[in-house]
Amino acid sequence: MDLLAHLEAYVAAVEEESFSRAADRLGIAQPLLSRRIKTLEEHFGGRLFDRSRRQVTTTGLGLHLLPYAQDVLEGAQRLRRAARASRRSAVRRLGVPADCDPAALARVLRAGAEHGTPLAVHELPPEARTAGLADGSLEYALLRTPPEGAALRVPLGLATTPEADGVPYPGRPKECPVHRDEPPACPDESPARLDEPPVHAKARPFHLEDLRPRRGRGAPRPAPPLLVLTEDQAPEPLDRLERAVARAGLPETLVRPAASTAAALAEALAGTALLLCAAPFARRHGAAWAPLADTSLHRGYDLRAARRSRRPGHVADWLAAALAAAVGAAPTAPAQAGEAGEDARIRLAARG
C-alpha cells in the first residue's frame, strides 16, 4: 500500500467534505479515491466516513486520526524539499580546457550559483576530461571533437611577438619582410598589424605555406618551430596538424609539443617560435596573433554530461553560453545555425 497516496485521499475527502471534489483536487478518478479510503479503513480497523447519508460525513475515528495524517503528509513534503535542496546544493564538477579565460570561468561559476547548480571547475587535458566523464568523477565536460560537426568551434591561429626581427610570422606577406629598423615597403598593401588587438575576426587569415623559407639575398631563414599546447596534443587534432604541415611542404620536425605553457609563451614572445593557440589566449598574454586559414585545424567541442546526471537539459542553455565565452568559441555561421537548431546551442547529451 502506498501510505502517502492513501492518506492524501483521506485528508482531501475530510477537507472537501466530498469524494468527488477530493478526487478532482488530487487529479484522480473518484472510484480510485473511494478504493484508497476503503483500503485505509481496513488498515486502521474502523470506518473513517459515514456513507449512510447523502452527504459524506467524517466519523469520530476519522476526526481523531486527521491531525496525525496531516503531520505525516507535511513531514513527507518537508522531506521532499530537503532532498531537492540537497541536490541543488551539491557541487557539480566541470572539466574544461586548461587555457580558458579565467575571467570567463569566473562568470561560469557565477552563472551556476544563479541557477542553483554550484560548479567546481577543473582545468584538465582532453584525455583526462574524457576519462573523468566516463568514470563519474566529472559531472560535465567539454570534450574535443572534429570542428566540422562540433557544437562549439574555436578558431586557432599562430601567436608570436609583434617585434619579430626578420622571423617569418603570421600575417606578414612573404614578399614584404619587415625589420624593426626599416618601415614596411609594400606596394598596394600594408603588412598585417599583429601588434593590434588580436581579434580573429579582424586579423588576416594565415596559411601554413607562408612559413616556407623565403627566396632572396643570402641563405634562407628556416621557419621557427610550431609549438603545440597540451590541449591540441590529442591524437586526432595533432594528426590533422602534422598532415597539414606536410601538405604545405614543411618539415615534419616543425611541429613540437610544448614542454609547458610558460615555456611556450616565453619562446613565442621572444620571437623564436610560433605558438598554436586561440585568440583570447594570445590577447591575455600580449602576443601577436593571426587565425589559421585552414578551419579544419580549429578546435571543436561538445558539452556532455555523465550518465548519472539528473535532468541534463536543465543546465544546457546557460552553461553552454558561459562556456562558449570561456573557450573563445566563434559565433555559428547563420547558414549552419538554422540546421535543425543543433548548431545554435551545445548538445548536452548523456555520456554513453
Side-chain angles (χ1 to χ4, degrees):
M1 179 178 66
D2 183 349
L3 182 60
L4 292 179
H6 286 66
L7 289 179
E8 285 177 344
Y10 156 48
V11 171
V14 173
E15 294 176 347
E16 297 293 339
E17 298 181 345
S18 166
F19 281 13
S20 60
R21 289 196 299 269
D24 290 340
R25 170 174 151 182
L26 297 177
I28 60 177
Q30 181 177 337
L32 176 59
L33 182 133
S34 299
R35 287 197 299 272
R36 287 180 178 178
I37 291 176
K38 184 176 181 180
T39 300
L40 203 58
E41 289 175 331
E42 294 174 353
H43 179 74
F44 290 139
R47 299 183 64 182
L48 301 174
F49 297 96
D50 184 357
R51 302 173 180 78
S52 60
R53 304 176 182 178
R54 298 184 62 181
Q55 183 178 4
V56 175
T57 58
T58 308
T59 64
L61 177 63
L63 292 174
H64 178 72
L65 296 181
L66 180 62
Y68 298 100
Q70 291 171 329
D71 286 345
V72 172
L73 294 177
E74 290 173 2
Q77 185 61 29
R78 288 194 300 271
L79 184 62
R80 294 190 191 100
R81 287 196 296 266
R84 190 180 307 116
S86 177
R87 289 197 303 271
R88 290 180 176 176
S89 63
V91 176
R92 313 291 176 86
R93 294 167 61 91
L94 169 66
V96 300
D99 58 356
C100 287
D101 181 359
L105 285 181
R107 290 191 287 272
V108 172
L109 296 177
R110 186 172 61 189
E114 292 173 351
H115 287 82
T117 306
L119 296 170
V121 171
H122 297 267
E123 298 176 275
L124 302 168
E127 296 84 354
R129 299 198 300 272
T130 301
L133 205 62
D135 63 23
S137 60
L138 293 177
E139 190 83 14
Y140 305 104
L142 279 173
L143 301 187
R144 288 297 297 263
T145 188
E148 296 83 1
L152 279 182
R153 301 175 182 88
V154 180
L156 289 184
L158 301 183
T160 188
T161 174
E163 301 177 356
D165 186 10
V167 177
Y169 62 86
R172 174 173 296 165
K174 291 192 295 182
E175 67 277 9
C176 302
V178 178
H179 299 270
R180 285 179 293 182
D181 56 354
E182 64 182 274
C186 297
D188 304 323
E189 182 180 11
S190 298
R193 287 291 306 279
L194 293 187
D195 52 345
E196 294 176 349
V199 180
H200 62 260
K202 297 180 180 179
R204 183 165 57 82
F206 176 72
H207 298 267
L208 290 177
E209 290 82 355
D210 294 338
L211 291 176
R212 288 195 295 235
R214 301 167 181 165
R215 295 179 180 179
R217 292 175 298 175
R221 184 190 294 265
L226 177 53
L227 303 180
V228 181
L229 297 173
T230 302
E231 181 62 24
D232 302 300
Q233 293 177 19
E236 197 274 340
L238 186 59
D239 178 66
R240 285 188 178 218
L241 177 61
E242 290 174 342
R243 285 189 282 113
V245 166
R247 288 195 303 270
L250 297 166
E252 60 180 14
T253 55
L254 184 74
V255 178
R256 196 178 80 194
S260 67
T261 301
L265 274 170
E267 290 192 62
L269 294 175
T272 59
L274 300 174
L275 177 60
L276 182 69
C277 64
F281 182 84
R283 181 187 299 115
R284 291 197 304 273
H285 299 287
W289 185 91
L292 286 173
D294 186 352
T295 58
S296 70
L297 300 180
H298 293 180
R299 291 176 184 169
Y301 291 105
D302 277 352
L303 176 62
R304 297 189 182 175
R307 186 187 297 273
R308 59 185 174 82
S309 176
R310 294 177 59 87
R311 299 175 63 199
H314 180 62
V315 298
D317 292 338
W318 62 263
L319 184 55
L323 286 174
V327 297
T332 304
Q336 295 172 329
E339 295 177 4
E342 287 298 326
D343 290 341
R345 64 182 186 278
I346 293 294
R347 294 186 296 274
L348 184 61
R351 173 76 171 164

